[in-house]
Amino acid sequence: MRRLLARVPLLARFSLLSLLMVALIGLAVGVALHLRVEHRAVKEAERLAVALAGTTGRWALTPQDMAVPVDAERASQLDAELSQPLEDAGVAAVKVFNDAGTVIYATDHELIGEQDPEAAALAKSGTVKREMGRGTGDDGSGGRTLSVYVPFSTAVRGPTDGVLEVYLPYAPVAAAITHDTRILVGLLALGLLVLWAVLYRIVATASRRLHRQAREDHLTGLPNRTELHAAGRALLAGTSEDRLAALLLIDLDRFKEINDTLGHEQGDALLREVADRLRGVVRPADLLARLGGDEFAILVTDLPHRGATAEVADRIGTALRRPFHLAGVALELDASIGIALAPDHGTDVATLLQRADVAMDGAKRGGARIETYDRSRDPYSPERLQLVAELRRAIEREEFVLHFQPKIAVATGEVTGAEALVRWEHPTRGLLGPVEFVPLAERTGVIGALTRWVLDAALAQCAAWREEGLELPVAVNLSGTDVLDAGLADMVADALQRAGLPGHLLACEISEHTVLADPRRAADSLARLRGMGVRLSLDDFGQGQSSLSYLKRLPLDELKIDRSFVMGMEADASDAAIVRATIDLGRGLGLRVVAEGVESDEVLADLAALSCDIAQGFGLSRPLPAAELEAWLLGRAIAPAAQPA
Ligand code: C2E
Ligand code: MG
Ligand code: MG
């Protein structure tokens, strides 16, 4: 019952219960009123009987009449005397008992002479008694009667010498009762109904207000997250391949900064203004909501095609890029937008929100501003989640292997080192490259353990080679989280110690954007590594688009030109220019320059002409398992590769 009630809306529950209560109160008061009216009507009848006994009874009967039942002649005489007053009083019949309980006279002569001990007792005690009769025929009518026994005296102030029993027809009394009760109950019902209506109005208004408040964002007046879920359900109900919908999640960039700098009031004003501008962008059929903070969502239905989301996102971008004027300052705002499509990426608001959130995360990381959900990049998609679980297990089971790619001095052809590149020997999917799992390991915190394994394995290999008389430095790639980890230097020191190797046999490669995430913290970590003699190499140089000044502040040894420029330098003059400029820059800063992605002899020759220090690439050797690299090295030693001019 309670569960059933819980499903009924509050207002309906209130109106039902209150109506029931009011009806019960009405019934109780109605019954009480009815009893009260009945009591009064009966009392009235009793009073009439008493009056009759006191007047007519005494006046018509003599003390002699009370001794024995009257004879027929006296009975007729009394009939004549009493008939008129009895009729006037509306009395149906009377009986007169003497104090011995004998009927000495009755309007129905048949009853004269009968005996009733109760009448004798009443005469003795002098009490009045009422009795309700049902169709006894005493009054000849067959209906309900009310009989009242009234002790009386034939002499003025004399002792009680008889009892008058008066039969009153109940019908007129009942009619009076019904009439009075009906009026009272009618008034009562009307009053209660008005009371209920007033209560209902008050509660309904309050309930509507609460309902609205619960679904509205106070600051902007837009629907809130709850409302997005509720209204979104209806909007998404009919989506199909032919009726596309999309959820756009909008997150303002730099809002926190503005809020902190200009204060919360200005922050609120900005959010209100953003809400107004977004209102101008959406169609009436779309649902715009504020999810909290600086996050907004738009549910767009009936999209003509999938690409239409880009137009909406574009309109949003344009609307937000117009300067905002706050506290006398003109501010420009940018937003990151994540998009999830229905039914492609989900058919309910919760799923679409989660997917749009993933897409937005990608937009923020990639600096793309607008991104549509892509299942293959979703760290939370079922396939990905399974891979995360497998990844954790892979570390315990040591399912990883290292391949080594040689680095070669361009001028001499000498092998100067090898870069350790991790691969995962997945039990069912075969050999997986790092792009397929390293980013995932970074996002899920598995990277620390993976880096430790790679360090140990690379250094163990380096130590094994050293044992065999081959002193070949190894390079290990570090990810951003590793570089920002305060325990990095200790971890590297421990690994070197376990392998029994000096620091200079290890190089750490860190990518440019990793360092850019937090240059100061990275610099501390790197300085400690450098202190151990570990060489530091800036990987994928040219991909990050930031200031070069940090180059001079970081304790680097080596600059690796991103392979995209090297691979493109034959065909693209600007790639060639970048390679050339980077070599000059590196040399100017006293750094060794490595060109990775060298796939052909032509590129190698060009690099030699540009006096690039080191080359690495498929054209020289692919990354190889340690044993194969040894064979490769042996082959080179026997028949050295042709030296570039
Ligand atoms: P990276 O450090 O820039 O490594 C060089 C990548 O370029 C390697 O890809 C290598 O196979 C590839 N490569 C080398 N020469 C050529 C060439 O001539 N042509 C082409 N097309 N590609 C070439 P790989 O092994 O797939 O590694 C990709 C990235 O994964 C690496 O880029 C590195 O950033 C990351 N990575 C590899 N191993 C590890 C690791 O143990 N830890 C971490 N954190 N990242 C790793
Ligand atoms: Mg590398
Ligand atoms: Mg690289």
Side-chain angles (χ1 to χ4, degrees), residues 225 228-229 247 249 291 338-340 345-346 348-361 373 375 378-382 385:
R225 191 181 284 270
L228 176 70
H229 279 273
L247 188 100
L249 198 60
L291 305 183
I339 303 170
H345 305 138
D348 60 284
V349 175
T351 312
L352 290 174
L353 264 177
Q354 188 256 329
R355 306 250 143 126
D357 203 34
V358 170
M360 177 149 79
D361 207 40
Y373 177 75
R375 204 178 294 272
D378 181 356
Y380 309 107
S381 74
L385 287 177

Side-chain angles (χ1 to χ4, degrees), residues 143-410:
R144 289 177 83 193
T145 53
L146 184 69
S147 67
V148 186
Y149 292 78
V150 191
F152 76 101
S153 166
T154 46
V156 184
R157 275 188 217 97
T160 301
D161 53 2
V163 174
L164 179 71
E165 185 184 358
V166 181
Y167 286 88
L168 290 161
Y170 187 65
V173 178
I177 291 171
T178 311
H179 178 253
D180 285 1
T181 311
R182 215 173 262 162
I183 290 175
L184 281 172
V185 168
L187 281 173
L188 175 75
L190 198 74
L192 284 176
L193 211 66
V194 169
L195 173 74
W196 181 80
V198 170
L199 271 180
Y200 180 85
R201 246 185 89 91
I202 293 172
V203 174
T205 314
S207 154
R208 263 197 299 276
R209 198 178 50 239
L210 279 177
H211 190 75
R212 209 178 41 240
Q213 279 172 356
R215 285 160 178 257
E216 190 182 273
D217 168 49
H218 303 309
L219 184 65
T220 60
L222 290 176
N224 62 11
R225 191 181 284 270
T226 314
E227 176 64 6
L228 176 70
H229 279 273
R233 201 171 306 139
L235 287 175
L236 289 170
T239 48
S240 66
E241 272 304 309
D242 310 315
R243 279 196 62 202
L244 298 167
L247 188 100
L248 285 85
L249 198 60
I250 304 155
D251 189 273
L252 307 178
D253 298 343
R254 295 197 309 125
F255 175 73
K256 194 181 156 353
E257 211 178 288
I258 295 169
N259 209 31
D260 291 348
T261 323
L262 297 181
H264 291 279
E265 246 167 65
Q266 297 298 329
D268 286 354
L270 178 65
L271 287 173
R272 275 193 292 265
E273 172 74 24
V274 167
D276 283 344
R277 292 197 191 177
L278 290 178
R279 274 193 192 98
V281 168
V282 300
R283 297 171 310 167
D286 301 337
L287 182 66
L288 167 66
R290 176 172 174 236
L291 305 183
D294 56 346
E295 215 173 49
F296 294 83
I298 302 178
L299 188 63
V300 190
T301 49
D302 287 321
L303 281 175
H305 53 90
R306 288 180 172 75
T309 52
E311 291 156 31
V312 183
D314 241 27
R315 285 208 303 269
I316 294 170
T318 313
L320 295 183
R321 268 192 296 275
R322 275 201 331 269
F324 290 84
H325 297 279
L326 283 183
V329 184
L331 284 171
E332 285 186 23
L333 210 59
D334 240 319
S336 300
I337 303 176
I339 303 170
L341 290 163
D344 303 19
H345 305 138
T347 47
D348 60 284
V349 175
T351 312
L352 290 174
L353 264 177
Q354 188 256 329
R355 306 250 143 126
D357 203 34
V358 170
M360 177 149 79
D361 207 40
K364 277 194 185 281
R365 278 168 192 271
R369 296 256 170 275
I370 300 169
E371 198 163 300
T372 302
Y373 177 75
D374 177 354
R375 204 178 294 272
S376 69
R377 278 188 292 175
D378 181 356
Y380 309 107
S381 74
E383 306 93 78
R384 280 283 168 137
L385 287 177
Q386 191 189 341
L387 206 60
V388 174
E390 289 173 350
L391 194 59
R392 289 184 204 280
R393 241 175 296 135
I395 292 176
E396 290 161 24
R397 297 185 187 167
E398 306 221 347
E399 288 174 356
F400 299 103
V401 286
L402 290 183
H403 284 186
F404 294 89
Q405 189 176 36
K407 290 174 163 179
I408 290 152
V410 177

Side-chain angles (χ1 to χ4, degrees), residues 419 477 509 539 560:
E419 178 175 6
N477 291 283
E509 297 193 2
D539 209 347
K560 294 184 82 172

